[in-house]
Amino acid sequence: MTAAGTPAGDGEPAGGVRLRVVSYNVHSQRDDTVALAAVVREAGPDVVIVQEAPRRFRWRQKSAALAESFGLVVAAGGLPSLGNLLLTSLRVRVTGTRCQRFPLTPGRHLRGAAYAECRVGGARFLLAGSHLSTDPAERPGQATLLKRELAAARLPVVLGADLNDGPDSVPWRTVGEGLTDAAVAADAADRHTYSCANPRRRIDALFVDPRVTVLDYDVVDTPLTRRASDHFPVLADLLLPVTD
């Protein structure tokens, strides 16, 4: 992984635009929020895909405060996407947003997804984030609904998601069909993302369009990340295709 905090746009390779991505389940900010902010700021991302972001009382203000603590701005999500939040640096221009809610199962947690059409340099892409149910009976159907939205995208997709299931599961295969698993591309599929107390599972995925090159990938396991959430953040450097 390149040096933390180094602007991803410096020294663009020919034929592509660099993008640094963090996908992070922040555990509803129940843990050390100072450590959480420090983790993200140290990574220096262009975009952060957040799961378990504010989605209840004063969610707009809380989402803005979370973004500010990261040195970023809110692009999309929050309550309309049931806790999925997309944050961007000022380097990234957002040209359109939408949110998705999966059908409600009585007595279960609501789940959904957030989408933002973005432009950085000469590259355009669809940034997406989702969080599937903890109920194994619900996840396959939610994965199908998420995949339907992704398959209809006109732009190269960058998806960060807490799938609550591993790579051998039906939901993971459904969502990942036709996309590149960034961990596999970087030969890092053995890196577990959950839980920080006992890392035994890779349930946090970063999928990208095949036209996107995975330059580097990391699951950030440090004393700071172990204080910040119950999930480790996924950090990747990508090379987006020039679309203009």
Side-chain angles (χ1 to χ4, degrees):
M1 184 64 62
T2 53
T6 301
D10 287 2
E12 298 288 9
V17 177
R18 290 180 69 113
L19 186 80
R20 178 166 285 186
V21 179
V22 168
S23 184
Y24 206 171
N25 183 321
V26 299
H27 199 209
S28 299
Q29 297 172 265
R30 298 173 189 165
D31 304 297
D32 186 334
T33 55
V34 173
L36 179 65
V39 165
V40 175
R41 283 183 175 269
E42 185 174 337
D46 296 302
V47 299
V48 178
I49 305 164
V50 181
Q51 300 89 41
E52 293 196 28
R55 62 183 181 91
R56 293 187 175 88
F57 179 65
R58 297 180 60 208
W59 66 270
R60 289 184 179 86
Q61 296 95 320
K62 292 175 181 178
S63 295
L66 178 64
E68 184 178 9
S69 75
F70 292 167
L72 303 170
V73 297
V74 175
L79 176 61
S81 64
L82 303 172
N84 296 286
L85 191 65
L86 305 179
L87 309 177
T88 65
S89 72
L90 297 181
R91 178 174 176 253
V92 178
R93 184 160 68 92
V94 178
T95 59
T97 65
R98 65 184 185 276
C99 294
Q100 179 182 18
R101 291 189 178 194
F102 302 138
L104 171 64
T105 300
R108 302 296 184 185
H109 291 296
L110 297 171
R111 302 294 185 186
Y115 306 90
E117 294 186 3
C118 300
R119 179 189 295 273
V120 57
R124 299 174 66 214
F125 64 101
L126 179 68
L127 184 67
S130 187
H131 187 185
L132 301 190
S133 174
T134 56
D135 185 341
E138 289 186 320
R139 286 195 293 270
Q142 293 177 352
T144 297
L145 293 173
L146 174 61
K147 186 61 180 181
R148 187 177 301 163
E149 290 291 320
L150 298 174
R154 299 174 292 106
L155 301 175
V157 169
V158 175
L159 168 70
D162 175 357
L163 298 179
N164 269 311
D165 245 329
D168 294 332
S169 69
V170 169
W172 188 290
R173 292 195 297 267
T174 297
V175 175
E177 182 180 3
L179 299 173
T180 299
D181 182 334
V184 173
D187 195 24
D190 60 340
R191 301 294 307 279
H192 297 141
T193 65
Y194 181 82
S195 70
C196 290
N198 184 20
R200 299 182 64 181
R201 305 177 68 198
R202 183 164 77 95
I203 63 174
D204 300 276
L206 183 65
F207 292 114
V208 299
D209 187 281
R211 292 169 287 179
V212 175
T213 301
V214 179
L215 300 174
D216 210 344
Y217 170 95
D218 194 15
V219 175
V220 186
D221 181 354
T222 67
L224 207 59
T225 60
R226 287 177 179 255
R227 299 207 313 267
S229 177
D230 61 340
H231 289 243
F232 293 118
V234 171
L235 171 63
D237 283 324
L238 307 177
L239 187 66
L240 303 174
V242 173
T243 54
D244 295 342

